[in-house]
PDB file of all heavy atoms in Angstrom:
ATOM      1  N   ILE R  76     -21.704   2.155 -11.193  1.00 97.00           N
ATOM      2  CA  ILE R  76     -21.061   2.231 -12.516  1.00 97.00           C
ATOM      3  C   ILE R  76     -19.759   1.606 -12.521  1.00 97.00           C
ATOM      4  O   ILE R  76     -19.434   0.858 -13.509  1.00 97.00           O
ATOM      5  CB  ILE R  76     -21.019   3.753 -12.909  1.00 97.00           C
ATOM      6  CG1 ILE R  76     -22.420   4.290 -13.256  1.00 97.00           C
ATOM      7  CG2 ILE R  76     -20.094   3.874 -14.125  1.00 97.00           C
ATOM      8  CD1 ILE R  76     -22.517   5.796 -13.384  1.00 97.00           C
ATOM      9  N   GLU R  77     -18.958   1.816 -11.444  1.00 97.00           N
ATOM     10  CA  GLU R  77     -17.665   1.171 -11.366  1.00 97.00           C
ATOM     11  C   GLU R  77     -17.692  -0.354 -11.342  1.00 97.00           C
ATOM     12  O   GLU R  77     -17.056  -0.975 -12.036  1.00 97.00           O
ATOM     13  CB  GLU R  77     -16.978   1.654 -10.082  1.00 97.00           C
ATOM     14  CG  GLU R  77     -15.483   1.437 -10.007  1.00 97.00           C
ATOM     15  CD  GLU R  77     -14.907   1.963  -8.671  1.00 97.00           C
ATOM     16  OE1 GLU R  77     -15.220   3.053  -8.286  1.00 97.00           O
ATOM     17  OE2 GLU R  77     -14.044   1.191  -8.066  1.00 97.00           O
ATOM     18  N   LYS R  78     -18.653  -0.907 -10.589  1.00 97.00           N
ATOM     19  CA  LYS R  78     -18.818  -2.378 -10.534  1.00 97.00           C
ATOM     20  C   LYS R  78     -19.236  -2.825 -12.015  1.00 97.00           C
ATOM     21  O   LYS R  78     -18.738  -3.851 -12.416  1.00 97.00           O
ATOM     22  CB  LYS R  78     -20.022  -2.606  -9.549  1.00 97.00           C
ATOM     23  CG  LYS R  78     -19.558  -3.112  -8.233  1.00 97.00           C
ATOM     24  CD  LYS R  78     -20.775  -3.728  -7.442  1.00 97.00           C
ATOM     25  CE  LYS R  78     -20.648  -3.654  -5.988  1.00 97.00           C
ATOM     26  NZ  LYS R  78     -21.844  -4.072  -5.291  1.00 97.00           N
ATOM     27  N   ALA R  79     -20.204  -2.206 -12.541  1.00 97.00           N
ATOM     28  CA  ALA R  79     -20.800  -2.612 -13.835  1.00 97.00           C
ATOM     29  C   ALA R  79     -19.654  -2.552 -14.904  1.00 97.00           C
ATOM     30  O   ALA R  79     -19.619  -3.417 -15.764  1.00 97.00           O
ATOM     31  CB  ALA R  79     -21.954  -1.692 -14.276  1.00 97.00           C
ATOM     32  N   THR R  80     -18.873  -1.509 -14.812  1.00 97.00           N
ATOM     33  CA  THR R  80     -17.752  -1.399 -15.802  1.00 97.00           C
ATOM     34  C   THR R  80     -16.817  -2.631 -15.693  1.00 97.00           C
ATOM     35  O   THR R  80     -16.353  -3.120 -16.683  1.00 97.00           O
ATOM     36  CB  THR R  80     -16.999  -0.051 -15.567  1.00 97.00           C
ATOM     37  OG1 THR R  80     -17.934   1.001 -15.804  1.00 97.00           O
ATOM     38  CG2 THR R  80     -15.828   0.064 -16.602  1.00 97.00           C
ATOM     39  N   LYS R  81     -16.482  -3.023 -14.400  1.00 96.00           N
ATOM     40  CA  LYS R  81     -15.571  -4.210 -14.196  1.00 96.00           C
ATOM     41  C   LYS R  81     -16.235  -5.377 -14.806  1.00 96.00           C
ATOM     42  O   LYS R  81     -15.468  -6.208 -15.540  1.00 96.00           O
ATOM     43  CB  LYS R  81     -15.297  -4.314 -12.762  1.00 96.00           C
ATOM     44  CG  LYS R  81     -14.263  -3.358 -12.206  1.00 96.00           C
ATOM     45  CD  LYS R  81     -14.037  -3.479 -10.732  1.00 96.00           C
ATOM     46  CE  LYS R  81     -13.005  -2.453 -10.253  1.00 96.00           C
ATOM     47  NZ  LYS R  81     -13.081  -2.241  -8.814  1.00 96.00           N
ATOM     48  N   VAL R  82     -17.469  -5.630 -14.607  1.00 96.00           N
ATOM     49  CA  VAL R  82     -18.177  -6.731 -15.178  1.00 96.00           C
ATOM     50  C   VAL R  82     -18.168  -6.744 -16.693  1.00 96.00           C
ATOM     51  O   VAL R  82     -17.773  -7.685 -17.322  1.00 96.00           O
ATOM     52  CB  VAL R  82     -19.580  -6.871 -14.652  1.00 96.00           C
ATOM     53  CG1 VAL R  82     -20.439  -7.989 -15.374  1.00 96.00           C
ATOM     54  CG2 VAL R  82     -19.666  -7.103 -13.126  1.00 96.00           C
ATOM     55  N   ASN R  83     -18.436  -5.561 -17.263  1.00 95.00           N
ATOM     56  CA  ASN R  83     -18.512  -5.352 -18.650  1.00 95.00           C
ATOM     57  C   ASN R  83     -17.153  -5.647 -19.303  1.00 95.00           C
ATOM     58  O   ASN R  83     -17.111  -6.435 -20.247  1.00 95.00           O
ATOM     59  CB  ASN R  83     -18.958  -3.891 -18.931  1.00 95.00           C
ATOM     60  CG  ASN R  83     -19.195  -3.635 -20.317  1.00 95.00           C
ATOM     61  OD1 ASN R  83     -18.275  -3.628 -21.148  1.00 95.00           O
ATOM     62  ND2 ASN R  83     -20.410  -3.371 -20.694  1.00 95.00           N
ATOM     63  N   GLU R  84     -16.150  -5.038 -18.792  1.00 94.00           N
ATOM     64  CA  GLU R  84     -14.796  -5.225 -19.313  1.00 94.00           C
ATOM     65  C   GLU R  84     -14.289  -6.643 -19.165  1.00 94.00           C
ATOM     66  O   GLU R  84     -13.729  -7.212 -20.195  1.00 94.00           O
ATOM     67  CB  GLU R  84     -13.857  -4.236 -18.681  1.00 94.00           C
ATOM     68  CG  GLU R  84     -14.010  -2.825 -19.059  1.00 94.00           C
ATOM     69  CD  GLU R  84     -13.215  -1.784 -18.332  1.00 94.00           C
ATOM     70  OE1 GLU R  84     -12.486  -2.174 -17.321  1.00 94.00           O
ATOM     71  OE2 GLU R  84     -13.216  -0.675 -18.688  1.00 94.00           O
ATOM     72  N   ALA R  85     -14.535  -7.346 -18.135  1.00 94.00           N
ATOM     73  CA  ALA R  85     -14.121  -8.697 -17.893  1.00 94.00           C
ATOM     74  C   ALA R  85     -14.777  -9.598 -18.908  1.00 94.00           C
ATOM     75  O   ALA R  85     -14.096 -10.404 -19.513  1.00 94.00           O
ATOM     76  CB  ALA R  85     -14.460  -9.104 -16.531  1.00 94.00           C
ATOM     77  N   GLU R  86     -16.103  -9.453 -19.070  1.00 92.00           N
ATOM     78  CA  GLU R  86     -16.798 -10.254 -20.057  1.00 92.00           C
ATOM     79  C   GLU R  86     -16.282 -10.029 -21.515  1.00 92.00           C
ATOM     80  O   GLU R  86     -16.109 -11.021 -22.197  1.00 92.00           O
ATOM     81  CB  GLU R  86     -18.376  -9.937 -19.973  1.00 92.00           C
ATOM     82  CG  GLU R  86     -18.972 -10.379 -18.742  1.00 92.00           C
ATOM     83  CD  GLU R  86     -19.286 -11.843 -18.710  1.00 92.00           C
ATOM     84  OE1 GLU R  86     -19.551 -12.439 -19.698  1.00 92.00           O
ATOM     85  OE2 GLU R  86     -19.351 -12.387 -17.570  1.00 92.00           O
ATOM     86  N   LEU R  87     -16.185  -8.792 -21.897  1.00 90.00           N
ATOM     87  CA  LEU R  87     -15.672  -8.545 -23.256  1.00 90.00           C
ATOM     88  C   LEU R  87     -14.260  -8.949 -23.495  1.00 90.00           C
ATOM     89  O   LEU R  87     -13.983  -9.485 -24.568  1.00 90.00           O
ATOM     90  CB  LEU R  87     -15.930  -7.029 -23.603  1.00 90.00           C
ATOM     91  CG  LEU R  87     -17.443  -6.571 -23.739  1.00 90.00           C
ATOM     92  CD1 LEU R  87     -17.519  -5.110 -23.929  1.00 90.00           C
ATOM     93  CD2 LEU R  87     -18.141  -7.331 -24.801  1.00 90.00           C
ATOM     94  N   ASP R  88     -13.404  -8.739 -22.569  1.00 88.00           N
ATOM     95  CA  ASP R  88     -12.069  -9.255 -22.610  1.00 88.00           C
ATOM     96  C   ASP R  88     -11.930 -10.685 -22.863  1.00 88.00           C
ATOM     97  O   ASP R  88     -11.179 -11.284 -23.590  1.00 88.00           O
ATOM     98  CB  ASP R  88     -11.245  -8.795 -21.440  1.00 88.00           C
ATOM     99  CG  ASP R  88     -10.821  -7.353 -21.408  1.00 88.00           C
ATOM    100  OD1 ASP R  88     -11.003  -6.733 -22.375  1.00 88.00           O
ATOM    101  OD2 ASP R  88     -10.189  -6.941 -20.368  1.00 88.00           O
ATOM    102  N   ALA R  89     -12.760 -11.418 -22.083  1.00 88.00           N
ATOM    103  CA  ALA R  89     -12.782 -12.942 -22.187  1.00 88.00           C
ATOM    104  C   ALA R  89     -13.134 -13.372 -23.593  1.00 88.00           C
ATOM    105  O   ALA R  89     -12.530 -14.247 -24.054  1.00 88.00           O
ATOM    106  CB  ALA R  89     -13.754 -13.492 -21.049  1.00 88.00           C
ATOM    107  N   VAL R  90     -14.175 -12.712 -24.147  1.00 85.00           N
ATOM    108  CA  VAL R  90     -14.517 -13.096 -25.470  1.00 85.00           C
ATOM    109  C   VAL R  90     -13.502 -12.784 -26.483  1.00 85.00           C
ATOM    110  O   VAL R  90     -13.099 -13.622 -27.311  1.00 85.00           O
ATOM    111  CB  VAL R  90     -15.833 -12.312 -25.910  1.00 85.00           C
ATOM    112  CG1 VAL R  90     -16.200 -12.590 -27.365  1.00 85.00           C
ATOM    113  CG2 VAL R  90     -17.033 -12.767 -25.074  1.00 85.00           C
ATOM    114  N   ALA R  91     -12.860 -11.580 -26.368  1.00 78.00           N
ATOM    115  CA  ALA R  91     -11.826 -11.179 -27.295  1.00 78.00           C
ATOM    116  C   ALA R  91     -10.604 -12.140 -27.201  1.00 78.00           C
ATOM    117  O   ALA R  91     -10.099 -12.537 -28.232  1.00 78.00           O
ATOM    118  CB  ALA R  91     -11.450  -9.718 -27.056  1.00 78.00           C
ATOM    119  N   LYS R  92     -10.169 -12.393 -25.956  1.00 79.00           N
ATOM    120  CA  LYS R  92      -8.999 -13.239 -25.772  1.00 79.00           C
ATOM    121  C   LYS R  92      -9.211 -14.716 -26.300  1.00 79.00           C
ATOM    122  O   LYS R  92      -8.319 -15.231 -26.890  1.00 79.00           O
ATOM    123  CB  LYS R  92      -8.625 -13.281 -24.293  1.00 79.00           C
ATOM    124  CG  LYS R  92      -7.832 -12.064 -23.794  1.00 79.00           C
ATOM    125  CD  LYS R  92      -7.332 -12.278 -22.365  1.00 79.00           C
ATOM    126  CE  LYS R  92      -6.569 -11.042 -21.937  1.00 79.00           C
ATOM    127  NZ  LYS R  92      -7.494 -10.033 -21.462  1.00 79.00           N
ATOM    128  N   MET R  93     -10.444 -15.174 -26.029  1.00 74.00           N
ATOM    129  CA  MET R  93     -10.777 -16.503 -26.361  1.00 74.00           C
ATOM    130  C   MET R  93     -10.810 -16.696 -27.878  1.00 74.00           C
ATOM    131  O   MET R  93     -10.438 -17.780 -28.342  1.00 74.00           O
ATOM    132  CB  MET R  93     -12.138 -16.837 -25.799  1.00 74.00           C
ATOM    133  CG  MET R  93     -12.657 -18.233 -25.933  1.00 74.00           C
ATOM    134  SD  MET R  93     -14.281 -18.387 -25.029  1.00 74.00           S
ATOM    135  CE  MET R  93     -15.288 -17.309 -25.902  1.00 74.00           C
ATOM    136  N   ASP R  94     -11.159 -15.754 -28.567  1.00 62.00           N
ATOM    137  CA  ASP R  94     -11.366 -15.885 -30.017  1.00 62.00           C
ATOM    138  C   ASP R  94     -10.434 -15.299 -30.988  1.00 62.00           C
ATOM    139  O   ASP R  94     -10.621 -15.280 -32.170  1.00 62.00           O
ATOM    140  CB  ASP R  94     -12.807 -15.401 -30.391  1.00 62.00           C
ATOM    141  CG  ASP R  94     -13.841 -16.408 -29.905  1.00 62.00           C
ATOM    142  OD1 ASP R  94     -13.603 -17.594 -30.061  1.00 62.00           O
ATOM    143  OD2 ASP R  94     -14.879 -15.998 -29.528  1.00 62.00           O
ATOM    144  N   MET R  95      -9.432 -14.621 -30.465  1.00 61.00           N
ATOM    145  CA  MET R  95      -8.518 -13.881 -31.426  1.00 61.00           C
ATOM    146  C   MET R  95      -7.632 -14.897 -32.014  1.00 61.00           C
ATOM    147  O   MET R  95      -7.053 -15.760 -31.495  1.00 61.00           O
ATOM    148  CB  MET R  95      -7.567 -12.908 -30.605  1.00 61.00           C
ATOM    149  CG  MET R  95      -8.133 -11.561 -30.291  1.00 61.00           C
ATOM    150  SD  MET R  95      -9.112 -10.839 -31.681  1.00 61.00           S
ATOM    151  CE  MET R  95      -7.799 -10.291 -32.747  1.00 61.00           C
ATOM    152  N   PRO R  96      -7.673 -14.859 -33.429  1.00 56.00           N
ATOM    153  CA  PRO R  96      -6.901 -15.792 -34.228  1.00 56.00           C
ATOM    154  C   PRO R  96      -5.402 -15.526 -34.001  1.00 56.00           C
ATOM    155  O   PRO R  96      -5.000 -14.403 -33.974  1.00 56.00           O
ATOM    156  CB  PRO R  96      -7.273 -15.588 -35.579  1.00 56.00           C
ATOM    157  CG  PRO R  96      -7.950 -14.220 -35.660  1.00 56.00           C
ATOM    158  CD  PRO R  96      -8.421 -13.972 -34.309  1.00 56.00           C
ATOM    159  N   MET R  97      -4.649 -16.611 -33.997  1.00 56.00           N
ATOM    160  CA  MET R  97      -3.173 -16.490 -33.864  1.00 56.00           C
ATOM    161  C   MET R  97      -2.742 -16.308 -35.310  1.00 56.00           C
ATOM    162  O   MET R  97      -2.975 -17.243 -36.192  1.00 56.00           O
ATOM    163  CB  MET R  97      -2.493 -17.721 -33.260  1.00 56.00           C
ATOM    164  CG  MET R  97      -2.682 -17.721 -31.731  1.00 56.00           C
ATOM    165  SD  MET R  97      -2.294 -16.167 -30.848  1.00 56.00           S
ATOM    166  CE  MET R  97      -0.659 -15.833 -31.333  1.00 56.00           C
ATOM    167  N   ILE R  98      -2.130 -15.219 -35.604  1.00 54.00           N
ATOM    168  CA  ILE R  98      -1.622 -15.001 -37.044  1.00 54.00           C
ATOM    169  C   ILE R  98      -0.187 -15.371 -37.084  1.00 54.00           C
ATOM    170  O   ILE R  98       0.676 -14.851 -36.367  1.00 54.00           O
ATOM    171  CB  ILE R  98      -1.780 -13.451 -37.361  1.00 54.00           C
ATOM    172  CG1 ILE R  98      -3.250 -13.039 -37.257  1.00 54.00           C
ATOM    173  CG2 ILE R  98      -1.300 -13.191 -38.732  1.00 54.00           C
ATOM    174  CD1 ILE R  98      -3.590 -11.614 -37.264  1.00 54.00           C
ATOM    175  N   PRO R  99       0.135 -16.353 -37.940  1.00 56.00           N
ATOM    176  CA  PRO R  99       1.557 -16.786 -38.066  1.00 56.00           C
ATOM    177  C   PRO R  99       2.488 -15.653 -38.281  1.00 56.00           C
ATOM    178  O   PRO R  99       2.150 -14.825 -39.122  1.00 56.00           O
ATOM    179  CB  PRO R  99       1.466 -17.758 -39.227  1.00 56.00           C
ATOM    180  CG  PRO R  99       0.066 -18.186 -39.351  1.00 56.00           C
ATOM    181  CD  PRO R  99      -0.682 -16.990 -38.900  1.00 56.00           C
ATOM    182  N   GLY R 100       3.561 -15.616 -37.633  1.00 54.00           N
ATOM    183  CA  GLY R 100       4.596 -14.509 -37.827  1.00 54.00           C
ATOM    184  C   GLY R 100       4.315 -13.356 -36.894  1.00 54.00           C
ATOM    185  O   GLY R 100       5.205 -12.563 -36.695  1.00 54.00           O
ATOM    186  N   MET R 101       3.121 -13.086 -36.506  1.00 47.00           N
ATOM    187  CA  MET R 101       2.699 -11.862 -35.698  1.00 47.00           C
ATOM    188  C   MET R 101       3.494 -11.910 -34.360  1.00 47.00           C
ATOM    189  O   MET R 101       3.841 -10.853 -33.850  1.00 47.00           O
ATOM    190  CB  MET R 101       1.252 -11.765 -35.454  1.00 47.00           C
ATOM    191  CG  MET R 101       0.468 -11.302 -36.707  1.00 47.00           C
ATOM    192  SD  MET R 101       0.809  -9.661 -37.211  1.00 47.00           S
ATOM    193  CE  MET R 101      -0.173  -8.700 -36.004  1.00 47.00           C
ATOM    194  N   ASP R 102       3.591 -13.089 -33.776  1.00 48.00           N
ATOM    195  CA  ASP R 102       4.267 -13.141 -32.431  1.00 48.00           C
ATOM    196  C   ASP R 102       5.651 -12.697 -32.494  1.00 48.00           C
ATOM    197  O   ASP R 102       6.231 -12.143 -31.508  1.00 48.00           O
ATOM    198  CB  ASP R 102       4.198 -14.527 -31.919  1.00 48.00           C
ATOM    199  CG  ASP R 102       4.630 -15.687 -32.819  1.00 48.00           C
ATOM    200  OD1 ASP R 102       4.669 -15.348 -34.034  1.00 48.00           O
ATOM    201  OD2 ASP R 102       4.771 -16.789 -32.402  1.00 48.00           O
ATOM    202  N   ASN R 103       6.308 -12.753 -33.626  1.00 46.00           N
ATOM    203  CA  ASN R 103       7.704 -12.276 -33.780  1.00 46.00           C
ATOM    204  C   ASN R 103       7.785 -10.783 -33.751  1.00 46.00           C
ATOM    205  O   ASN R 103       8.825 -10.313 -33.313  1.00 46.00           O
ATOM    206  CB  ASN R 103       8.254 -12.737 -35.103  1.00 46.00           C
ATOM    207  CG  ASN R 103       8.469 -14.259 -35.195  1.00 46.00           C
ATOM    208  OD1 ASN R 103       8.591 -14.926 -34.105  1.00 46.00           O
ATOM    209  ND2 ASN R 103       8.399 -14.852 -36.392  1.00 46.00           N
ATOM    210  N   LEU R 104       6.736 -10.054 -34.118  1.00 45.00           N
ATOM    211  CA  LEU R 104       6.717  -8.632 -34.034  1.00 45.00           C
ATOM    212  C   LEU R 104       6.896  -8.017 -32.622  1.00 45.00           C
ATOM    213  O   LEU R 104       7.316  -6.971 -32.401  1.00 45.00           O
ATOM    214  CB  LEU R 104       5.460  -8.081 -34.590  1.00 45.00           C
ATOM    215  CG  LEU R 104       5.274  -8.216 -36.137  1.00 45.00           C
ATOM    216  CD1 LEU R 104       3.901  -7.789 -36.487  1.00 45.00           C
ATOM    217  CD2 LEU R 104       6.341  -7.535 -36.936  1.00 45.00           C
TER     218      LEU R 104
END
Side-chain angles (χ1 to χ4, degrees):
I76 290 166
E77 192 179 320
K78 259 192 205 174
T80 299
K81 283 181 182 156
V82 171
N83 186 293
E84 287 172 354
E86 292 280 330
L87 292 175
D88 281 355
V90 172
K92 280 189 182 79
M93 185 174 64
D94 283 324
M95 278 315 286
M97 283 315 299
I98 302 167
M101 282 297 276
D102 49 351
N103 294 333
L104 292 174

